Amino acid sequence: MRLIGEHISKQFDQDLQNLLTLFLRMGGMAEQNLINALQALSTHNRELAESVVKSDRMLNANEKQLDEDVVTILARRQPVATDLRLIMALSKASTDIERIGDEAKRVAKLARHSYQSEQTPIGYPEAEVMGKFVQTMLKHALEAFATFEVDHAYQVVEQAQQIDSLYKSASRALMTYVMEDPRQVSQVVDGLWVLRALERSAAHALNVAEQLIFCITGEDVRYPKSTPDMVTPSGDAQDITAASTDSDHDA
């Protein structure tokens, strides 16, 4: 699908393209930071861990620049319809990309700690499997924005259904180490933090994909369809369907 390049104003097209390019650059940085952080953890590479921490600062700076560009475009162009959805999707998705960078930095700091203590967090094989899965999710989410192909985004939604079982399975595996040898508690805790960072990264990759789906189709897939709750003046939640049924019965 083509969203950029169809406006009378070529400068508007260029503004949108620049915004998308900046977002994809952020995505590439976050993806590489995640790869480097896991590699630093497995190889006790302190320099690589430090590079992730430094790269995260650049990622933060890029997010600030994107936010400023979004405000400028909104003020100058006053976009509507698909243009507005695209700009807001990029703005929201960039926050999730920055959060993935934060999680990569968290893993990098654990790698730095493991280097200093000469103890690798227990459960790295489980983290490696999860890490590759998360990287695939992020790659598909970024490809969806790069090509405006909604199928890539729906792939991420399907993959997200598997990440929870992977996380629970890996966490259970780590807990067996504690039962076998309580002296390994600190290493297991570090391993659990790595798994948690990867689980959160997967959630953010899903958010990115959901933003693209909304941008292309106008469909909000963030929450499953359910009966909405009505908040009463007293602050209590009340099911709207049930409320209306009772009202009809009383009449």
Side-chain angles (χ1 to χ4, degrees):
M1 183 174 182
R2 189 178 182 185
L3 296 182
I4 301 175
E6 299 181 344
H7 301 91
I8 296 176
S9 172
K10 297 303 178 184
Q11 185 58 51
F12 188 19
D13 285 329
Q14 189 61 55
D15 290 343
L16 291 176
Q17 185 60 58
N18 290 343
L19 196 66
L20 176 62
T21 299
L22 179 56
F23 169 78
L24 293 175
R25 183 163 69 237
M26 287 180 60
M29 291 172 63
E31 183 180 14
Q32 191 60 53
N33 283 0
L34 197 58
I35 293 171
N36 289 346
L38 290 171
Q39 185 178 345
L41 189 67
S42 66
T43 61
H44 288 283
N45 191 326
R46 183 176 182 177
E47 289 74 19
L48 191 57
E50 293 290 355
S51 73
V52 172
V53 175
K54 291 179 181 178
S55 180
D56 184 64
R57 298 191 193 108
M58 296 176 59
L59 187 58
N60 293 341
N62 282 332
E63 186 196 19
K64 288 180 64 178
Q65 183 61 56
L66 189 142
D67 288 343
E68 292 173 5
D69 292 347
V70 165
V71 171
T72 299
I73 293 175
L74 291 176
R76 289 181 178 176
R77 305 296 178 180
Q78 299 182 355
V80 296
T82 304
D83 293 331
L84 181 58
R85 288 208 304 266
L86 172 60
I87 294 168
M88 297 313 297
L90 288 171
S91 178
K92 290 183 177 181
S94 69
T95 299
D96 285 292
I97 292 297
E98 189 275 333
R99 297 286 170 79
I100 292 174
D102 287 344
E103 298 299 342
K105 182 175 69 173
R106 190 189 307 276
V107 175
K109 287 184 175 180
L110 286 170
R112 186 171 59 188
H113 173 71
S114 70
Y115 173 85
Q116 295 169 343
S117 62
E118 297 183 349
Q119 290 184 329
T120 301
I122 289 177
Y124 180 75
E126 289 82 2
E128 186 176 24
V129 171
M130 250 188 98
K132 290 181 178 179
F133 195 85
V134 173
Q135 290 164 25
T136 300
M137 288 180 63
L138 179 56
K139 180 181 179 181
H140 287 160
L142 293 174
E143 286 178 348
F145 266 102
T147 61
F148 295 123
E149 291 291 338
V150 75
D151 290 343
H152 290 306
Y154 279 117
Q155 273 186 296
V156 179
V157 175
E158 293 174 2
Q159 291 167 333
Q161 298 173 2
Q162 305 174 45
I163 200 68
D164 187 53
S165 60
L166 277 176
Y167 176 61
K168 289 179 180 177
S169 176
S171 298
R172 284 195 297 267
L174 263 65
M175 294 309 298
T176 60
Y177 289 102
V178 177
M179 291 185 286
E180 293 172 0
D181 186 357
R183 293 173 298 179
Q184 297 179 324
V185 168
S186 62
Q187 290 171 267
V188 169
V189 169
D190 285 347
L192 289 171
W193 275 116
V194 173
L195 295 180
R196 178 61 174 170
L198 292 173
E199 188 270 340
R200 295 312 306 153
S201 295
H204 290 305
L206 173 62
N207 290 345
V208 172
E210 289 172 340
Q211 289 299 331
L212 190 278
I213 292 173
F214 176 71
C215 175
I216 299 296
T217 68
E219 177 188 8
D220 191 339
V221 296
R222 292 176 297 172
Y223 310 109
K225 292 182 179 179
S226 59
T227 302
D229 291 336
M230 178 175 64
V231 178
T232 64
S234 63
D236 299 327
Q238 180 180 4
D239 184 82
I240 292 177
T241 305
S244 61
T245 302
D246 292 340
S247 178
D248 292 341
H249 178 72
D250 292 340

